[in-house]
Amino acid sequence: MECIFCKIVKKEVKSKIIYEDEDIIAFNDLNPQAPTHILIIPKKHIESIINCKEEDVEILGKLAYTAKKIAEKLNITDFRIVNNCGKKAGQSVFHIHYHFLAGRRMGWPPG
Ligand code: AMP
């Protein structure tokens, strides 16, 4: 079965898109863990950080830069970016994504 995030990229599955360019798309998480919870993903299917290749370095940097752009667009100064890599770390969708979380106080260490 095809990856759900690839379907979002192709607009076969609906999402609330917050940002999009030729390499990246960012959309609201279906099950928000904070008042603002956006997923930032590459359009290219890369399973996880552990599966990325050197050729992906630029796109990985772009994910972080997109977080900055989204923060500026939404007037957010404090936020957390989370990447779950692997099942035991909490990854459930195997297409790299950064969770962009904001709008509430964040605890540390994470659970
Ligand atoms: P992770 O558990 O780190 O792999 O995160 C996957 C995230 O994708 C979860 O927070 C889900 O709520 C979210 N998610 C799964 N399917 C969709 C979807 N169709 N649209 C938006 N978010 C989704």
Side-chain angles (χ1 to χ4, degrees):
M1 209 177 61
E2 208 199 344
C3 164
I4 183 77
F5 287 180
C6 285
K7 287 187 178 174
I8 287 176
V9 169
K10 290 194 245 164
K11 317 269 164 67
E12 291 170 9
V13 167
K14 261 197 173 176
S15 68
K16 172 83 176 88
I17 295 170
I18 307 298
Y19 175 86
E20 182 169 12
D21 65 27
E22 68 274 27
D23 299 317
I24 305 281
I25 189 164
F27 50 93
N28 279 340
D29 196 294
L30 261 189
N31 183 22
Q33 302 301 314
T36 300
H37 186 171
I38 297 164
L39 300 172
I40 306 171
I41 75 167
K43 288 187 170 176
K44 177 182 175 186
H45 182 85
I46 308 166
E47 274 192 20
S48 69
I49 285 185
I50 204 79
N51 297 111
C52 75
K53 302 201 169 85
E54 196 166 353
E55 71 198 33
D56 300 321
V57 163
E58 194 175 328
I59 202 101
L60 294 176
K62 237 183 142 180
L63 292 175
Y65 195 67
T66 302
K68 169 202 159 81
K69 285 196 200 166
I70 288 172
E72 285 176 352
K73 182 174 168 185
L74 302 182
N75 265 316
I76 290 170
T77 54
D78 300 72
F79 58 89
R80 179 174 290 178
I81 296 172
V82 174
N83 170 256
N84 297 323
C85 180
K87 252 191 187 156
K88 278 189 259 174
Q91 186 173 7
S92 61
V93 176
F94 285 79
H95 180 133
I96 286 184
H97 48 283
Y98 283 2
H99 296 259
F100 177 104
L101 299 148
R104 66 164 169 81
R105 187 163 283 280
M106 308 279 169
W108 192 261

